[in-house]
Amino acid sequence: SAVISQKPSRDICQRGTSLTIQCQVDSQVTMMFWYRQQPGQSLTLIATANQGSEATYESGFVIDKFPISRPNLTFSTLTVSNMSPEDSSIYLCSVGRTGVQETQYFGPGTRLLVL
Amino acid sequence: AQSVTQLDSHVSVSEGTPVLLRCNYSSSYSPSLFWYVQHPNKGLQLLLKYTSAATLVKGINGFEAEFKKSETSFHLTKPSAHMSDAAEYFCVVSENTDKLIFGTGTRLQVFP
């Protein structure tokens, strides 16, 4: 497994502002993923972030709203831009290793409340 | 397209009684299947996974799941519930890609 940390653990933000969430892993990993979990809902994949290439976004998510950086094999950031109350969610990063049967390990999540 | 259906949004059991959380999947290929658990205000923890080896998979904390291709099911069971098992459980499917498809979750309540 991998030890994953996220910063901040929670935040309260005003609408129209942006928040950058950091994800740090204790070992090098090929794949990093960002998920959203809206209140009372299941997890939805936002995008896949591979080091050295552009992030791949799922349907319904765009780079202008959720820009992602992946500068190295242990770190990634997700920015939630121009926030609205509908962006209030838990944002989770996960990591996986190609060839390890798709197992993904999740960070503790960032709880975001937009007022 | 792959999908997963968790048949119960809430399950309540008494401590010491068996737990059954039901999951059915839809997949065009041989899927990988997972169960994750999410305790209140905590991250997701992998309970167990099936990846085309043994059909009965044993996980952590006494949980196990059986892959039944004929029934397209991957139900999670535990012989005796503990208070600490109270959490949200997610059934997850993956089709040889890195994309995980999550079910809607089952909230397990355990009464003393």
Side-chain angles (χ1 to χ4, degrees):
Chain A
S1 64
V3 177
I4 305 162
S5 60
Q6 287 185 232
K7 291 182 180 180
S9 59
R10 60 180 64 227
D11 208 342
I12 301 174
C13 300
Q14 297 298 318
R15 69 173 65 206
T17 62
S18 298
L19 176 71
T20 296
I21 302 168
Q22 299 177 5
C23 180
Q24 180 76 52
V25 191
D26 67 339
S27 58
Q28 294 185 339
V29 293
T30 309
M31 317 289 287
M32 294 185 81
F33 308 87
W34 287 98
Y35 290 82
R36 181 176 72 181
Q37 186 178 22
Q38 294 177 301
Q41 304 293 317
S42 186
L43 279 77
T44 301
L45 180 65
I46 297 172
T48 302
N50 294 335
Q51 194 267 337
S53 63
E54 295 286 329
T56 302
Y57 289 83
E58 297 299 307
S59 176
F61 298 96
V62 296
I63 187 171
D64 290 345
K65 176 68 175 177
F66 298 102
I68 288 171
S69 76
R70 180 80 200 274
N72 57 53
L73 291 174
T74 63
F75 187 78
S76 178
T77 66
L78 169 77
T79 299
V80 186
S81 303
N82 188 25
M83 288 184 286
S84 67
E86 291 70 35
D87 294 319
S88 298
S89 296
I90 301 173
Y91 292 86
L92 300 102
C93 71
S94 74
V95 303
R97 292 183 175 85
T98 303
V100 190
Q101 298 172 327
E102 303 100 17
T103 300
Q104 290 183 23
Y105 300 94
F106 286 80
T110 295
R111 291 178 177 272
L112 172 61
L113 176 63
V114 184
L115 302 177
Chain B
Q2 54 184 330
S3 65
V4 60
T5 301
Q6 292 186 242
L7 298 166
D8 307 294
S9 58
H10 290 84
V11 170
S12 297
V13 300
S14 298
E15 191 174 23
T17 64
V19 175
L20 170 64
L21 305 184
R22 298 182 295 165
C23 173
N24 286 100
Y25 69 91
S26 173
S27 174
S28 304
Y29 305 97
S30 296
S32 295
L33 292 158
F34 309 81
W35 278 97
Y36 282 86
V37 60
Q38 186 177 38
H39 290 276
N41 300 313
K42 292 192 176 181
L44 284 162
Q45 182 180 22
L46 178 67
L47 272 181
L48 50 81
K49 65 180 181 182
Y50 166 78
T51 53
S52 74
T55 57
L56 181 62
V57 182
K58 294 188 183 298
I60 62 173
N61 301 335
F63 284 94
E64 63 181 36
E66 186 172 8
F67 174 72
K68 292 187 176 180
K69 187 175 182 178
S70 61
E71 299 176 9
T72 61
S73 69
F74 190 58
H75 301 334
L76 182 70
T77 60
K78 182 173 181 177
S80 176
H82 191 273
M83 295 296 290
S84 61
D85 294 328
E88 187 88 17
Y89 291 79
F90 293 97
C91 183
V92 181
V93 65
S94 174
E95 259 181 17
N96 294 323
T97 70
D98 297 302
K99 182 174 179 178
L100 300 183
I101 305 297
F102 280 75
T104 51
T106 298
R107 181 165 298 277
L108 176 64
Q109 285 187 302
V110 182
F111 294 102

